[in-house]
Amino acid sequence: MAVVRVALDTRSYDIVIEQGALTRAGTYLAGYARKGRLVVVTDAHVAKAQLPRLEASLRAANVAVEPVILPPGEQTKSWRHLEELLDALLALEIERGDHVVALGGGVIGDLVGFAASILKRGCHFIQVPTTLLAQVDSSVGGKTAINARAGKNLIGSFYQPALVLIDPSTLDTLPVRETRAGYAEVVKYGLIDDPDFFAWCEEEGHKLLAGDAGAREYAIERSVAAKAKIVGEDERETSGRRALLNLGHTFGHALEADTGFSDTLLHGEGVAAGMALAFRYSARLGLCTGEDADRVTAHLKAMGLPHDLASAHVTADGATLVAHMLHDKKMAAGTLPFLLARGIGRTFLSKDVVLDDVAAFLDEDRAAAA
Ligand code: NAD
Ligand code: GLY
């Protein structure tokens, strides 16, 4: 069992990581149940796979559970389902002092967090993440959002949870492709500023994917500790520190856009290919060595993750992909900040990347891989 603190003055909270925590959820959550009741929002997959365990544990602690079950999938982060959720929470007479539990992956966490931030001008919420991506990234840090017609995550708020309760054993029921996609975000923390953790990933990452409890717990703890530190330093992504968490995301966003934000390329898979491209582009610019870029590519490939345009199922040329990048919400004052690397664990934010050069690199990179 480990506890990591996110230090944000009055908005500080704990991230509890414990194998089997869902079975003991009553111990952790009963204190948040006003009038002996908790509303748990989840999706249909998680309702089947994990909700019974949480319900049984809460009932044993004399907490009644009111489940709200939404459809699974990215389309649930929409106005329609936000309205449905808000209406359900109002019908359940949720008040400002109440805590709503988000049980699920990043979709449920982002949606419930946003709903909590606006319901009656703000009620509390608790993240109980059940995907690896949500356990190492989206449940921590208070970014909440729904998608708009104009793009993903364009409507949302910074709104911190009261607690994050992580049970790595929930990954037992997660499809392996989803676990692998979430693993890209684990590797990301090593590449940003922790070369020893990247070396751990190279040695032990396969154990995590095989379901080893120790490897899961270690990787989750190390990842959330890294994220908690960065969020504590730059909660609203104003100083450039939090932007480091977007390593691989600008390339990845273009790949996801080209594949229609569909099951062809999951978000974490796009991030994996995006990180490999960011390192190879950094090597091309002479910022890092070719050996470092090769190590990154080799590890992602060994873990079965996309690591170039072909393995990401992307057919577009460089110019088309760069055009997708220009719609990225990270565009600021007409320039697109790029995360590049001076080596493994030495990521930095560059503001003088030439987009035509990126397009040429993408075409060369595809040709070199063919
Ligand atoms: P997801 O929430 O869609 O979950 C993936 C799939 O796994 C779904 O079908 C879900 O029903 C199922 N599932 C979840 N847990 C399960 C379990 N334990 N057993 C069986 N099935 C399970 O996807 P995700 O990858 O967790 O999250 C993606 C979302 O997260 C995107 O919308 C992205 O924008 C967002 N995100 C947010 C942040 C942030 O900081 N807020 C960071 C990264 C990503
Ligand atoms: N996932 C990026 C962030 O939380 O800032």
Side-chain angles (χ1 to χ4, degrees):
M1 193 254 208
V3 180
V4 174
R5 184 90 176 147
V6 183
L8 287 169
D9 297 321
T10 53
R11 298 178 312 291
S12 299
Y13 55 95
D14 285 338
I15 306 162
V16 176
I17 307 144
E18 187 188 2
Q19 179 77 4
L22 227 58
T23 313
R24 287 183 286 286
T27 323
Y28 291 110
L29 301 183
Y32 295 96
R34 285 214 312 176
K35 299 182 206 142
R37 171 193 89 145
L38 275 175
V39 173
V40 178
V41 185
T42 191
D43 73 29
H45 292 157
V46 183
K48 198 164 164 221
Q50 298 295 338
L51 182 60
R53 224 161 33 112
L54 181 66
E55 276 185 321
S57 161
L58 288 171
R59 285 212 187 95
N62 293 319
V63 177
V65 176
E66 295 278 7
V68 176
I69 301 173
L70 298 169
E74 187 66 32
Q75 67 282 357
T76 297
K77 274 175 58 173
S78 62
W79 284 117
R80 187 176 137 221
H81 292 291
L82 176 68
E83 186 180 14
E84 180 187 337
L85 173 57
L86 290 169
D87 281 341
L89 296 177
L90 290 170
L92 288 162
E93 297 180 350
I94 289 291
E95 294 171 7
R96 278 191 190 167
D98 284 328
H99 289 75
V100 177
V101 177
L103 174 73
V107 164
I108 288 296
D110 281 14
L111 176 73
V112 174
F114 185 44
S117 75
I118 56 175
L119 187 91
K120 298 189 176 172
R121 302 200 175 88
C123 67
H124 307 291
F125 80 116
I126 293 170
Q127 292 270 18
V128 184
T130 62
T131 63
L132 184 59
L133 179 138
Q135 293 177 350
V136 299
D137 187 359
S138 65
S139 66
V140 174
K143 276 191 183 175
T144 81
I146 59 169
N147 302 323
R149 234 175 254 123
K152 269 190 70 175
N153 293 326
L154 293 182
I155 300 153
S157 57
F158 286 98
Y159 196 67
Q160 302 296 337
L163 172 74
V164 182
L165 183 62
I166 302 177
D167 179 351
S169 78
T170 56
L171 303 180
D172 289 345
T173 58
L174 187 68
V176 69
R177 185 179 170 200
E178 295 284 353
T179 307
R180 197 176 280 130
Y183 177 75
E185 304 279 5
V186 172
V187 174
K188 182 183 80 177
Y189 293 108
L191 296 179
I192 290 173
D193 63 359
D194 192 347
D196 291 345
F197 186 45
F198 180 72
W200 181 90
C201 289
E202 289 179 307
E203 288 296 313
E204 310 283 333
H206 63 98
K207 292 189 188 164
L208 188 163
L209 290 195
D212 180 273
R216 275 177 179 167
E217 212 165 318
Y218 179 81
I220 293 168
E221 182 186 347
R222 195 127 174 191
S223 299
V224 296
K227 181 150 185 187
K229 185 166 180 293
I230 289 177
V231 169
E233 291 163 357
D234 182 21
E235 182 185 12
R236 288 179 168 249
E237 208 166 308
T238 45
S239 74
R241 186 85 184 111
R242 186 163 182 169
L244 296 177
L245 294 171
N246 296 327
L247 173 63
H249 284 58
T250 300
F251 282 111
H253 175 89
L255 310 185
E256 284 187 85
D258 193 65
T259 46
F261 293 100
S262 66
D263 285 354
T264 305
L265 189 70
L266 302 178
H267 173 72
E269 295 172 338
V271 169
M275 292 190 299
L277 288 165
F279 267 80
R280 291 202 292 277
Y281 187 52
S282 298
R284 181 182 188 265
L285 293 175
L287 293 166
C288 76
T289 63
E291 288 76 34
D292 276 348
D294 289 346
R295 255 179 90 188
V296 175
T297 304
H299 179 56
L300 296 169
K301 190 174 175 186
M303 300 304 280
L305 280 161
H307 45 88
D308 57 16
L309 297 181
S311 56
H313 307 292
V314 169
T315 51
D317 64 7
T320 308
L321 293 171
V322 163
H324 286 309
M325 289 176 193
L326 294 175
H327 293 114
D328 195 315
K329 70 177 179 309
K330 292 182 273 303
M331 277 286 286
T335 64
L336 185 60
F338 250 81
L339 288 153
L340 299 176
R342 296 192 177 91
I344 286 170
R346 296 180 62 204
T347 294
F348 71 101
L349 190 65
S350 165
K351 292 197 175 150
D352 39 44
V353 163
V354 178
L355 290 177
D356 284 348
D357 192 49
V358 174
F361 156 73
L362 286 166
D363 291 334
E364 283 166 29
D365 195 73
R366 180 193 292 287

